[in-house]
Amino acid sequence: MIIVNNEYINFNKGLINFTAILLLIILIQSCKKDNENSQNNNISSTPTPYKVEIPKFFPTDIYIPSDNPLTNEGVELGRYLFYDGKLAGRNSPDSMMSCGTCHIQQYSFKNGKANAYGITGIKTPHTMLPLINLLWNPNTLLWNGKVGKIEDLIPMGITAPHELNTTISKAVDAIKKNPVYPSMFKKAFGTEEINIDRISKAIAQFVRTLISSNSKFDKYLRGEGNLTAEEMDGYSIFSSETGDCFHCHGTVLFTTNLFYNNAKDSVFTDTRDRYSITHNPSDIGAYVAPTLRNIELTAPYMHDGRFKTLEEVVDFYSEGLVRSLYVHPLMKKINQGGAQLTSTQKKNLILFLKTLTDNDFVTNPKYSKPTNY
Ligand code: HEC
Ligand code: HEC
């Protein structure tokens, strides 16, 4: 169009020339407007990729399903849904329950209690697990690794009698009634449609952004701070054969995301251990070795919450191991009944474990309940 106008200008003079220039300006302006409009439309229907920053020294292998990339709009929608009691499909304010009812930020997204109870008061079969650094979990969720993707866990949580205890359609209908959502779904997924697949994807995106990497230990690793002599001693007990902890709890993530029988019992009756999934006898009495990040905040400990304090846990690993056919070979101190730590070593090991507490994580407003809905 501009080219046509140029020809026109060349061909004419005077007033015509002036009119042509005016026309040109109007045309350019309106083109600009069109452009801006179409850009605006794009913004509202194409979500912005969420920038994942891999903390220093963390593994670079992360797990994001190809059909659910993280986007700013998806993560924000997921945060709203994570904390929305309407997900329980009910209307009365006193019978609402969300993911955030049990997974509480100040307890590293556990609940600070021995047990968790679903909306009708039914106890969950195991204690809770924290929601930390699941971006690095290679699709083996829960104490026994039964569920792969976070997306798949959400419909299960909504319908489980010991969690939200509702139907998918009731949950989706209740979410549909909140007027904030249609535009948020449009921004995250392109259209206003609300369904369980999108709800699950958005919540999973939010959960994948829960990254804890700013503990005292992280700062020490990055050269931004020091550990005390006692904490350093605890670190070396943890990461050497003296304490024999690092084999299963790793460093940096402080979980290998693998399953072990860590010698707590000689009789195994739980029907939800790793064996119930693999039917491999070496998995009898085995559970995931959970991350030890924020461990100070997540008592009680083990899948059944049997230890109330870190002191009890360390006493167990020091002299409380129980023999059975199924103890994992990495429990190298089994023949001595435990690591046989001195009281100073125990104290220092616990001081080290407490350097894994990340106060920024448990207070980060990005992870907390939105206030405006
Ligand atoms: C009634 C309390 C309760 C509610 C509500 C609840 N959870 Fe959980 N969650 C648990 C418990 C207990 C576990 C550990 C279960 C197990 O492994 O046996 C768990 C485990 C998980 C895990 C696995 C963590 C890991 O490291 O493997 C994820 C992810 C999760 N929940 C996300 C959610 C989401 C998302 C919601 C909302 C849809 C939700 N939970 C609602 C209690 C709850
Ligand atoms: C053979 C692997 C293995 C070794 C070695 C090991 N652990 Fe564990 N640890 C586990 C497993 C598996 C669990 C969960 C068991 C369960 O819940 O029944 C666990 C649980 C824990 C828990 C409780 C976590 C929670 O969230 O409830 C703490 C704390 C812990 N271990 C600390 C240590 C320390 C400290 C050492 C070294 C003294 C150590 N572990 C050595 C495998 C191991």
Side-chain angles (χ1 to χ4, degrees), residues 82 87 97-99 102-103 116-118 124 126-131 134 137 140-144 150 153-154 157-158 162-164 203 207:
F82 183 91
L87 213 55
M97 183 175 231
S98 68
C99 314
C102 290
H103 293 282
Y117 294 90
T124 60
H126 290 159
T127 58
M128 297 194 61
L129 282 163
L131 306 181
L134 291 180
N137 180 295
T140 50
L141 299 167
L142 304 182
W143 282 103
N144 57 15
I150 303 170
L153 205 63
I154 286 139
I158 290 174
H162 56 261
E163 293 195 10
L164 304 185
I203 297 180
V207 171

Side-chain angles (χ1 to χ4, degrees), residues 110 127-130 143 237-238 242-249 258-262 264 285-292 295 298 300-307 310 313-314 316-318 328-332 339 341 349 353:
K110 279 181 75 173
T127 58
M128 297 194 61
L129 282 163
W143 282 103
I237 294 165
F238 182 90
T242 312
D244 191 26
C245 314
F246 70 104
H247 290 117
C248 305
H249 291 285
L258 294 173
F259 306 85
Y260 314 89
N261 179 320
N262 64 344
K264 295 185 301 303
Y287 301 89
V288 73
T291 181
L292 300 183
I295 197 72
T298 61
Y301 304 108
M302 307 292 161
H303 73 279
D304 51 7
R306 69 177 66 187
F307 300 129
L310 285 175
V313 172
V314 169
F316 155 71
Y317 281 112
S318 179
H328 195 275
L330 286 174
M331 292 299 293
K332 294 186 179 172
L341 303 175
L349 179 55
L353 292 174

Side-chain angles (χ1 to χ4, degrees), residues 35-319:
N35 244 335
E36 273 164 19
N37 279 344
S38 74
Q39 260 169 21
N40 280 343
N41 283 340
N42 278 342
I43 284 167
S44 62
S45 59
T46 312
T48 327
Y50 180 94
K51 200 164 171 290
V52 176
E53 286 182 19
I54 297 192
K56 206 170 175 184
F57 303 122
F58 273 48
T60 47
D61 284 343
I62 53 174
Y63 296 86
I64 301 176
S66 57
D67 64 350
N68 192 21
L70 302 192
T71 65
N72 291 347
E73 295 79 357
V75 169
E76 181 65 356
L77 171 61
R79 181 165 78 115
Y80 272 65
L81 293 168
F82 183 91
Y83 285 108
D84 194 335
K86 284 266 192 329
L87 213 55
R90 301 169 184 226
N91 286 317
S92 159
D94 62 359
S95 58
M96 293 200 187
M97 183 175 231
S98 68
C99 314
T101 310
C102 290
H103 293 282
I104 302 172
Q105 184 178 13
Q106 80 181 101
Y107 302 112
S108 203
F109 293 96
K110 279 181 75 173
N111 66 349
K113 298 196 181 106
N115 294 109
Y117 294 90
I119 192 163
T120 55
I122 304 177
K123 203 162 113 172
T124 60
H126 290 159
T127 58
M128 297 194 61
L129 282 163
L131 306 181
I132 320 176
N133 299 342
L134 291 180
L135 198 53
W136 287 269
N137 180 295
N139 299 331
T140 50
L141 299 167
L142 304 182
W143 282 103
N144 57 15
K146 182 178 179 186
V147 175
K149 289 191 300 178
I150 303 170
E151 284 81 349
D152 298 337
L153 205 63
I154 286 139
M156 291 170 68
I158 290 174
T159 53
H162 56 261
E163 293 195 10
L164 304 185
N165 191 39
T166 187
T167 62
I168 298 297
S169 63
K170 276 190 191 160
V172 173
D173 285 350
I175 293 301
K176 278 182 180 165
K177 285 198 189 112
N178 186 333
V180 301
Y181 285 126
S183 69
M184 293 185 82
F185 275 80
K186 181 167 187 198
K187 282 185 192 150
F189 296 113
T191 67
E192 292 188 353
E193 191 186 341
I194 297 177
N195 58 38
I196 187 62
D197 181 53
R198 287 181 170 186
I199 290 173
S200 302
K201 281 183 167 162
I203 297 180
Q205 287 188 37
F206 169 66
V207 171
R208 290 194 178 97
T209 66
L210 303 174
I211 297 179
S212 173
S213 64
N214 214 17
S215 64
K216 186 175 185 186
F217 178 73
D218 292 298
K219 289 178 190 159
Y220 158 74
L221 274 190
R222 295 196 295 256
E224 296 161 13
N226 291 318
L227 299 186
T228 65
E230 287 87 0
E231 289 162 350
M232 280 305 282
D233 184 47
Y235 179 29
S236 81
I237 294 165
F238 182 90
S239 50
S240 69
E241 300 300 329
T242 312
D244 191 26
C245 314
F246 70 104
H247 290 117
C248 305
H249 291 285
T251 31
V252 191
L253 294 175
F254 290 94
T255 170
T256 52
N257 288 306
L258 294 173
F259 306 85
Y260 314 89
N261 179 320
N262 64 344
K264 295 185 301 303
D265 299 303
S266 56
V267 178
F268 302 97
T269 52
D270 182 18
T271 54
R272 293 176 183 247
D273 57 359
R274 180 64 177 159
Y275 172 76
S276 71
I277 309 299
T278 64
H279 301 293
N280 180 346
S282 67
D283 286 329
I284 290 177
Y287 301 89
V288 73
T291 181
L292 300 183
R293 286 182 171 274
N294 290 322
I295 197 72
E296 182 183 6
L297 309 175
T298 61
Y301 304 108
M302 307 292 161
H303 73 279
D304 51 7
R306 69 177 66 187
F307 300 129
K308 290 182 189 57
T309 61
L310 285 175
E311 284 73 13
E312 285 181 29
V313 172
V314 169
D315 285 347
F316 155 71
Y317 281 112
S318 179
E319 58 269 338

